[in-house]
Amino acid sequence: MLTTSVLVSAAVVLGLLMLLHSCLGERFLIVPLSTRDDLPPLLGDRSRTVGVVRFAWHITSVLGLGFAAVLVDIAAGTGIRGIVLTIGITCFACAVLPLLFTRGRHPSWVFFLIAGGLCVWVSIST
């Protein structure tokens, strides 16, 4: 029982940290960076550079939330299938970010989609 509450507490702390990471990073890093004229053009132009920085920053938060969800899975005793499903869903969420922020020009979304699909497939087929 103590272990469960400690893991859920850790998940809550991690979730709050990731929320702060995304919100404060957007406000104090990404927005000021996006106004600079001296950014190198990635994937064709400067706006895509900002898109890459934005999705890379927020993927950290999505992955941290995925870790928090895994801690909750462990605390709830969902077993390995539940943990693998959570990892798959986290990968799907990570795939969305480069699709949105670079309009699919950064290829990482393909790898996150494949990894997520494989995890979900294993979690429902075993």
Side-chain angles (χ1 to χ4, degrees):
M1 184 65 147
L2 177 63
T3 302
T4 300
S5 62
V6 171
L7 288 176
V8 170
S9 296
V12 168
V13 169
L14 192 54
L16 290 173
L17 174 62
M18 294 302 98
L19 180 65
L20 286 170
H21 179 267
S22 269
C23 292
L24 296 176
E26 186 71 34
R27 181 172 178 191
F28 294 112
L29 175 75
I30 297 168
V31 169
L33 188 65
S34 68
T35 63
R36 295 182 58 104
D37 293 328
D38 60 345
L39 289 177
L42 293 178
L43 305 172
D45 65 40
R46 196 183 71 71
S47 68
R48 289 198 180 94
T49 303
V50 174
V52 169
V53 170
R54 183 168 272 128
F55 92 73
W57 185 267
H58 292 297
I59 274 180
T60 304
S61 298
V62 171
L63 290 170
L65 291 172
F67 277 120
V70 166
L71 290 173
V72 171
D73 284 343
I74 293 168
T78 60
I80 193 71
R81 289 175 61 193
I83 292 169
V84 172
L85 178 61
T86 298
I87 292 169
I89 292 167
T90 301
C91 287
F92 286 151
C94 286
V96 170
L97 296 175
L99 279 170
L100 288 176
F101 293 127
T102 71
R103 296 188 178 118
R105 294 204 43 175
H106 192 282
S108 62
W109 68 270
V110 174
F111 298 94
F112 280 118
L113 192 64
I114 292 168
L118 291 170
C119 287
V120 170
W121 176 61
V122 165
S123 71
I124 62 175
S125 66
T126 56

